[in-house]
Amino acid sequence: MDHYAVLGLEQGASAADIKRAYRRLSRRYHPGINPGDRAAQALFERINEAYETLTDPVRREQYDASGSVAPRPAAGPLQFAGFDFSVAAHGQQAATFTELFADVLHPPAEVEAARPEHGADLHAAVTVSFLDAIRGVQRQVVVTRQDACAACRGAGRVTASEARCAQCGGTGAVRWARGHMVFARSCPGCGGTGRLRHQRCAPCGASGRVVRSDAVPVLVPPGTRDGARVRLPGQGHGGRAGGRSGDLHVTVHVAPHPLCVRNGDDIHLYVPVAVHEAVLGARIAVPSLEGTVKLTIPPGTQAGRQFRLSGRGAPTAGGERGDLIVHVNLVLPEVLDERSRELMREFGRLNDEDVRRELREASHQTTERRT
Ligand SMILES: [Zn+2]
Ligand SMILES: [Zn+2]
């Protein structure tokens, strides 16, 4: 480091200037005034070294002759580069010495090398029909995710012909003042080389990240229940600096079916049956996952009766099948014409059994118990 800069002086400064500068600085940065402050002590040692060199005529001559060119700062955190009393103090006025050096002791994050970082998980939802959920189906969900920029492969910059770095004017260092103290650090734009072989990537604005919308195929497995989740590894947000991508979690909503209800692995199907079919018996066609099956309705079938077709329900996780349970849903005819009405009256006369006998007996017993 330049001994003159440490004392805030020009190269041709007189012996009196050097003494005055030293007295002023040592009053402020003496370890006795800043007990236990290692940064203050290190700075004070540099002030001393500069003072001892420049007040010794032989050493000063040697120093001036060898050239007081400041070495190029190494890559990394800020380094103290000397005082400059020619500029007015600006920036915050720090109360303590440690506060003054906060930026030196805690270098900004941009200096740190990029660490691998996992991409975040994504969540999406898909709605499938009742039968698609039972049979299994492939769907697509459109997800908007952050990913590495394809143009620069996430680096934020692309290779270009060599040019002088505009950020540091080709010196490789950027200087930064705090009060009268000047700090320097390796230029973040060119890594301290002063030359640029890269230029910022335009498609991603140098961030290395882009936001994309993609249609992702989602396989809904057979037998999926309402609210089940399908996990797609690596389909979430992209990772940073070689970190793995997050996962995509898809929640499956199963739309209700007008005639089917699922209960566990059994499927309950409510089949409309006409009065004459229930009375006389019939063979009716019932839809199942394997196509239509014929079901025999015996004569005299009551409303609500159930028929169990084993092994025709929903697929289970163990590779088996639940049952298909057919419920008889008796549908009364809409009798509008006089001929049908007459037939029903006649039917009633011929079949005059008391259908509410049990009900009447039950209510009679209740009345007896009360009195
Ligand atoms: Zn890019
Ligand atoms: Zn630069």
Side-chain angles (χ1 to χ4, degrees):
M1 183 183 5
D2 191 330
H3 287 326
Y4 293 100
V6 166
L7 298 174
L9 297 168
E10 295 292 324
Q11 190 155 352
S14 69
D17 289 339
I18 292 166
K19 279 207 179 74
R20 209 177 306 122
Y22 175 71
R23 271 203 301 274
R24 175 157 65 156
L25 293 171
S26 60
R27 268 202 299 274
R28 187 161 172 191
Y29 300 116
H30 195 280
I33 302 167
N34 304 282
D37 195 325
R38 287 166 64 195
Q41 191 178 340
L43 180 55
F44 185 70
E45 281 165 14
R46 290 183 180 183
I47 293 167
N48 262 329
E49 189 194 342
Y51 177 72
E52 280 165 18
T53 305
L54 298 185
T55 48
D56 182 327
V58 179
R59 284 175 66 187
R60 183 176 180 179
E61 203 177 321
Q62 281 173 353
Y63 176 76
D64 287 348
S66 70
S68 54
V69 183
R72 177 161 283 172
L78 289 168
Q79 294 187 339
F80 180 60
F83 289 95
D84 183 357
F85 294 107
S86 67
V87 293
H90 60 274
Q92 297 166 258
Q93 291 302 307
T96 68
F97 197 81
T98 304
E99 226 178 279
L100 199 63
F101 272 83
D103 300 290
V104 185
L105 301 172
H106 307 285
E110 60 179 325
V111 175
E112 289 172 22
R115 262 181 238 139
E117 206 178 293
H118 291 339
D121 285 358
L122 266 171
H123 296 268
V126 67
T127 300
V128 298
S129 74
F130 183 88
L131 288 177
D132 281 347
I134 300 285
R135 292 194 182 113
V137 69
Q138 182 171 305
R139 281 297 173 84
Q140 286 193 330
V141 290
V142 176
V143 292
T144 301
R145 55 187 168 188
Q146 291 185 357
D147 216 341
C149 171
C152 61
R153 289 205 214 132
R157 53 186 202 170
V158 289
T159 310
S161 55
E162 194 164 317
R164 201 178 70 159
C165 175
Q167 204 169 329
C168 60
T171 63
V174 284
R175 296 168 82 79
W176 176 84
R178 188 123 212 193
H180 290 296
M181 288 191 286
V182 179
F183 300 95
R185 76 157 183 252
S186 174
C187 171
C190 60
T193 62
R195 315 294 294 171
L196 268 189
R197 282 168 215 88
H198 298 100
Q199 63 185 42
R200 66 199 297 276
C201 175
C204 62
S207 68
R209 312 281 286 171
V210 286
V211 175
R212 271 212 317 259
S213 285
D214 290 321
V216 179
V218 179
L219 201 65
V220 177
T224 297
R225 291 167 196 238
D226 184 43
R229 272 177 151 203
V230 179
R231 180 173 155 266
L232 288 91
Q235 297 283 3
H237 288 301
R240 287 174 191 272
R244 67 161 178 80
S245 296
D247 298 337
L248 172 62
H249 302 275
V250 180
T251 303
V252 180
H253 297 301
V254 179
H257 190 279
L259 296 175
C260 291
V261 174
R262 183 167 172 176
N263 184 12
D265 297 315
D266 293 339
I267 299 171
H268 293 256
L269 174 63
Y270 292 80
V271 176
V273 175
V275 171
H276 67 275
E277 290 173 329
V279 172
L280 304 173
R283 254 174 96 70
I284 59 169
V286 174
S288 82
L289 295 178
E290 287 75 28
T292 307
V293 289
K294 288 282 185 184
L295 179 68
T296 301
I297 303 285
T301 294
Q302 293 287 353
R305 186 165 167 185
Q306 297 175 19
F307 300 93
R308 183 177 289 263
L309 306 179
S310 74
R312 290 185 181 272
T316 67
E320 292 172 3
R321 294 279 297 273
D323 298 336
L324 177 65
I325 295 156
V326 176
H327 295 247
V328 171
N329 186 18
L330 211 54
V331 180
L332 293 184
E334 209 175 331
V335 175
L336 297 171
D337 61 293
E338 191 46 44
R339 166 86 176 128
S340 296
R341 285 171 194 270
E342 184 49 45
L343 284 172
M344 287 310 291
R345 282 187 211 106
E346 192 177 341
F347 181 84
R349 280 193 294 275
L350 290 171
N351 301 275
D352 61 347
E353 72 168 304
D354 185 359
V355 295
R356 284 179 293 278
R357 186 169 49 87
E358 278 180 38
L359 176 71
R360 205 168 42 252
E361 281 171 359
S363 69
H364 184 64
Q365 281 167 5
T366 313
T367 317
E368 271 182 351
R369 225 173 275 137
R370 273 200 195 150
T371 53

